[in-house]
Amino acid sequence: MVLTGNQIDLFEASMPRLKAIAYRLLGSASDAEDAVQDTFLRWQSADVDRIEVPEAWLTKVLTNLCLNQLTSARARRETYVGQWLPEPLLAGDPMLGPADTVEQRESVSFAVLALMERLSPNERVVYVLREAFGYPHRRIAEILDITEASGQQIFHRAKKHIADGRTRTEIDEAAARRIVDEFLTAATSGRTEPLVRLLTADAVAIGDGGGKVPARTRPFEGAVAVAKFMRSLFTPNQAARNLLGGTAEIHVSYANGLPALVVTVDGRVIGVMCLEITADGIAAFRNQANPDKLERATRQWAATDHGEPALRIN
């Protein structure tokens, strides 16, 4: 079927929302792009004139495509090398979607995206559509072909799973920047004690190298262990120089709605470390270093003005 200009415009107007939904469901910007493209192909071949509510139709098609991907992704991640973390989205990326409420901002954070890996595909869909996009339970039930009562039960179960595994990270932006600056000062001091004071007692550090770059297969756990690791990470040495292949520049930025350190070498993003900051200190470091998951970040980084780095590691 040949789409009219209005029908193409209608799909293009829906694309930002569809991409934001797909990213939250899949944790991968590239997979989200593919899912939205496949949705367009189905829109192109459908009898569009007979579709009464295009937005609902598009969301249902996209959701079913993502459900299929989630099933296969679970199998792939069972053989994934080391820790799995989402593909990071830097500040300003339109795929981040709505950010008006705490729930919307948290739904795209590394912490919550990682927690959503524990949910069943249906739980993940219901949680994302309800929590991040405010879909009514009736519409979610229609999308998943379940009863409204079942959808509500699934939502409450999913929300409890997420709540049990996370600490709210909403913190004043100025305060967060101050803590990040204090962290960089402590990390480059060569001493462990200043770092320990900035961390929560149960702090963790998780890295995703995807088997492409060195990364510990198990998280560092506890303030002392994390502090020692961070001290070594930010202390220049020949092994680090060889691994980096040049001077690393560290910028303080935001990724997935959280304070982040963006590490670049010759303009290429080689790491995005999201900091989970609570009232009690830094609770988690989640570092994406898998080069396959940093291509989008590198493209966006090259297209934006990010100022002088906060730190250089030679």
Side-chain angles (χ1 to χ4, degrees):
M1 176 180 175
V2 178
L3 297 176
T4 66
N6 286 341
Q7 290 165 342
I8 293 175
D9 290 345
L10 193 154
F11 182 85
E12 289 181 346
S14 300
M15 280 180 62
R17 176 180 54 84
L18 295 175
K19 288 182 179 181
I21 291 172
Y23 173 75
R24 284 166 169 79
L25 291 178
L26 302 173
S28 164
S30 56
D31 287 347
E33 295 274 9
D34 290 344
V36 172
Q37 179 61 29
D38 287 345
T39 301
F40 177 72
L41 294 177
R42 283 158 176 74
W43 174 252
Q44 199 171 30
S45 61
D47 189 353
V48 176
D49 291 331
R50 301 185 64 179
I51 297 174
E52 295 182 4
V53 186
E55 180 189 341
W57 187 93
L58 290 169
T59 304
K60 185 179 180 71
V61 170
L62 175 82
T63 299
N64 285 329
L65 288 167
C66 289
L67 282 170
N68 291 336
Q69 284 206 44
L70 282 170
T71 301
S72 60
R74 280 173 173 259
R76 291 197 307 270
R77 285 169 196 168
E78 287 178 0
T79 59
Y80 193 81
V81 178
Q83 299 291 313
W84 180 92
L85 289 174
E87 182 178 347
L89 299 180
L90 301 182
D93 193 314
M95 199 176 281
L96 288 167
D100 298 326
T101 67
V102 173
E103 290 76 16
Q104 288 173 336
R105 291 189 291 274
E106 286 193 338
S107 71
V108 79
S109 70
F110 263 27
V112 171
L113 287 174
L115 285 170
M116 280 199 280
E117 288 293 298
R118 306 177 186 178
L119 304 181
S120 70
N122 269 9
E123 287 174 338
R124 190 160 182 161
V125 168
V126 172
Y127 181 83
V128 166
L129 293 181
R130 179 65 181 170
E131 193 80 342
F133 294 90
Y135 277 61
H137 286 294
R138 174 183 55 80
R139 285 190 57 195
I140 296 173
E142 291 169 353
I143 289 170
L144 290 175
D145 293 322
I146 59 177
T147 66
E148 187 172 340
S150 294
Q152 290 175 331
Q153 291 177 350
I154 291 172
F155 174 68
H156 292 307
R157 188 165 62 243
K159 192 168 184 177
K160 184 179 186 303
H161 286 323
I162 297 295
D164 287 347
R166 82 168 192 263
T167 303
R168 285 204 175 273
T169 58
E170 191 76 352
I171 188 168
D172 175 77
E173 187 171 332
R177 176 58 194 253
R178 184 178 65 253
I179 292 172
V180 173
D181 289 341
E182 290 175 358
F183 164 74
L184 286 174
T185 299
T188 54
S189 70
R191 298 167 56 225
T192 303
E193 295 78 10
L195 278 167
V196 171
R197 289 195 291 270
L198 291 172
L199 309 179
T200 62
D202 58 353
V204 297
I206 303 169
D208 178 351
K212 305 293 179 69
V213 298
R216 184 180 166 93
T217 57
R218 295 179 62 83
F220 289 92
E221 298 180 344
V224 174
V226 171
K228 288 180 178 179
F229 171 63
M230 288 298 159
R231 183 192 65 193
S232 66
L233 201 62
F234 286 85
T235 301
N237 56 70
Q238 191 57 49
R241 295 186 188 94
N242 293 339
L243 179 63
L244 294 172
T247 299
E249 296 185 340
I250 299 176
H251 293 259
V252 179
S253 186
Y254 271 77
N256 291 70
L258 292 178
L261 299 177
V262 178
V263 186
T264 66
V265 173
D266 297 329
R268 177 173 53 89
V269 176
I270 65 166
V272 177
M273 180 184 288
C274 288
L275 281 68
E276 183 178 341
I277 301 175
T278 72
D280 298 322
I282 304 173
F285 300 87
R286 295 180 176 88
N287 183 37
Q288 182 55 262
N290 183 342
D292 294 344
K293 298 182 182 181
L294 294 173
E295 293 178 0
R296 183 184 182 93
T298 294
R299 291 195 302 271
Q300 186 181 355
W301 192 256
T304 56
D305 179 16
H306 31 75
E308 288 296 310
L311 181 67
R312 285 187 173 89
I313 299 180
N314 295 311

